[in-house]
Amino acid sequence: MRSRQGHRRLALAAACLVTVAAGTACTAPAVPPATDTAQVADAVPTEIPEELMAPPATSLTREEDAEPTAQAAESGDDSETRPTKWGPLSAADRDLIKKVRLATLWEMTIAQEAIQRGNSSRVREISREISEQHHALDNEARDLAQKLDVRLPVRPTEDQQKWMADISGRSGRDYDVTYVKWLRLAHGQIFAFIGQVRGSTQNTLVRTFAESCNKAVLNHQRLLESTGLAGPEAFPDPPEV
């Protein structure tokens, strides 16, 4: 029985991902609470596995940008700063675009689910705003990726998929608490990285994008905290001093 439920939850999470590009809501049936098997991991992975990335010529990149530049090929695509007409594009700049897209792939999807399945009206309310703002950020990331020739992820990491399954496998107040925990943790981890990129980037497009990200992620943290469900596990470790 447990195996069948696990397969059903993973299938649901995969189906929800299809709605990301279209920006439509994903409705999930109520299921019994699951044991807390998802583990806390880095919501901002240092390296994004190649198998999560889109091939060079897809709907996420312009056809004319499908072939990497000579400099990109020599540098392994992500190891060096590239010149652009909007200013130098560093590896960190490109990483921000990729990681915001990666975050959207699971956070927008699960927020759309929470609009329908959230136990409290507050969770349903904030989920709608989070979903809408992630949709806007995703459009910005896609546009930036086209202009700057950056390949984007097409599906969440294994850890992110586990978090989605952990949330989807719960119901009632337990659903809300688990939802707030994973989203607040993820937003808290990427928030610091956004500030680092905004402080260091010399690319004017990335500066604007980082400011949009900062505004949205700060708002999402406030929204999630406003539920009163963000316990100690919902916050990343404080920085070392």
Side-chain angles (χ1 to χ4, degrees), residues 43-203:
V44 188
T46 304
E47 295 183 0
I48 301 175
E50 176 64 23
E51 60 267 23
L52 300 184
M53 303 298 292
T58 71
S59 61
L60 304 184
T61 58
R62 293 178 300 184
E63 187 173 348
E64 57 268 31
D65 290 335
E67 292 298 326
T69 62
Q71 181 175 353
E74 292 174 1
S75 65
D77 185 52
D78 284 328
S79 61
E80 296 182 0
T81 298
R82 304 180 199 164
T84 77
K85 66 180 180 180
W86 298 281
L89 184 72
S90 71
D93 295 343
R94 297 191 293 277
D95 215 26
L96 176 64
I97 300 169
K98 295 175 185 178
K99 287 174 178 175
V100 169
R101 166 66 177 171
L102 192 62
T104 294
L105 285 171
W106 83 275
E107 291 171 11
M108 184 170 76
T109 300
I110 205 68
Q112 290 173 338
E113 179 188 279
I115 294 171
Q116 306 296 325
R117 293 193 54 202
N119 184 60
S120 72
S121 59
R122 181 57 180 164
V123 166
R124 296 193 297 272
E125 178 185 1
I126 70 165
S127 296
R128 188 174 302 279
E129 185 170 349
I130 289 172
S131 174
E132 290 173 352
Q133 291 186 355
H134 266 297
H135 183 69
L137 281 181
D138 193 50
N139 286 337
E140 286 189 54
R142 285 169 174 261
D143 180 63
L144 211 56
Q146 289 182 343
K147 291 177 179 177
L148 299 174
D149 192 15
V150 175
R151 292 174 61 204
L152 295 179
V154 293
R155 65 178 185 272
T157 66
E158 182 178 348
D159 283 324
Q160 290 167 343
Q161 292 179 50
K162 288 179 181 178
W163 300 338
M164 293 173 69
D166 188 31
I167 297 167
S168 297
R170 299 172 187 270
S171 60
R173 187 178 187 277
D174 196 30
Y175 180 96
D176 290 359
V177 171
T178 306
Y179 169 78
V180 170
K181 176 182 74 172
W182 290 125
L183 262 72
R184 178 58 183 84
L185 179 67
H187 281 83
Q189 289 179 336
I190 199 171
F191 190 56
F193 181 63
I194 293 169
Q196 290 173 346
V197 173
R198 178 58 185 90
S200 64
T201 185
Q202 300 179 55
N203 187 283

